[in-house]
Amino acid sequence: MRLDKYISHATGLPREYVKRVIRHKKVTVNGAMTKSASAQVAETDAVCLDSELLTLPGPRYLMLHKPAGYICATEDGEHPIVLDLLRDTDPEGLSIAGRLDIDTTGLVLLSDDGQWLHRVTSPRHLYAKVYRAVLQEPVHEDTVAAFAVGMLLRGEDKPTAPALCVPLPDNGAEITLNEGRYHQVKRMFAACGNHVVALHRVRIGAVLLDESLAEGASRPLTHEEMESFLS
Ligand code: URA
């Protein structure tokens, strides 16, 4: 990693300020003064600022209550991205575990721990994802059966894995999926002749969307929440 990025990450200081500090000979790497912001340093190198040894913060694990209108991507030229919503967190290095459509709301998990992200999203680990949907028409028993058996979606050659669809009042439904295909909930209801009007994710694995989080707000995962994906 570049020296200026390392120091910015370790201290929270803006990169431009860090570059000035480096130019002013205040930084040493393994005891040697350096004026090069672009010098490469490893996590094992001893980086000191004003003679004080810096340490990189540990990995971060967050949940975010995604509002509609935001894209689950780390950059997009057209729409705001979910990383724009983070208030007290430097978005640098964070990635999203399991994307939601721009109009879908609810639980999004973020981290800079690549292995953990891989576990959360890997089909090998089968962490259930639970959604609440509002449909155009009431949910039929045939739809519940089709979700349970699995269905062939247009353009695909493998049927969906068995999924749970529980009808709720006012054209609602709670859907539990054990896989994550492109627009899966919307396409499954469309294949059953219905249309998703609103979609909200409430749970991934054992982690529930914190009801105290307003739309757009985020918080660090508790240790138990983070560890629930490691067992
Ligand atoms: N299924 C969808 O259709 N959209 C989402 O955002 C998530 C699951």
Side-chain angles (χ1 to χ4, degrees), residues 50-70:
D50 279 335
S51 305
E52 202 177 307
L53 182 65
L54 301 181
T55 47
L56 287 174
R60 295 167 295 162
Y61 306 93
L62 302 168
M63 75 161 69
L64 168 79
H65 185 167
K66 178 191 174 298
Y70 285 78

Side-chain angles (χ1 to χ4, degrees), residues 100-101 104 131 183-186 199:
L100 293 178
D101 297 335
T104 303
Y131 298 87
H183 294 327
Q184 185 165 351
V185 174
K186 292 174 187 163
L199 189 59

Side-chain angles (χ1 to χ4, degrees), residues 27 48 74 97 106 129 145 147 149 158 209 220:
V27 172
C48 293
T74 46
K129 288 170 273 295
F147 271 62
V149 172
K158 197 167 160 252
L209 177 63

Side-chain angles (χ1 to χ4, degrees), residues 151-160 181 187:
M151 62 185 84
L152 202 54
L153 296 173
R154 190 180 297 185
E156 296 189 359
D157 51 15
K158 197 167 160 252
T160 55
R181 302 190 194 192
R187 289 165 71 214

Side-chain angles (χ1 to χ4, degrees), residues 125-161:
H125 296 292
L126 285 187
Y127 292 113
K129 288 170 273 295
V130 181
Y131 298 87
R132 296 266 164 79
V134 178
L135 288 306
Q136 200 145 43
E137 311 288 340
V139 176
H140 229 255
E141 277 311 308
D142 293 353
T143 299
V144 174
F147 271 62
V149 172
M151 62 185 84
L152 202 54
L153 296 173
R154 190 180 297 185
E156 296 189 359
D157 51 15
K158 197 167 160 252
T160 55

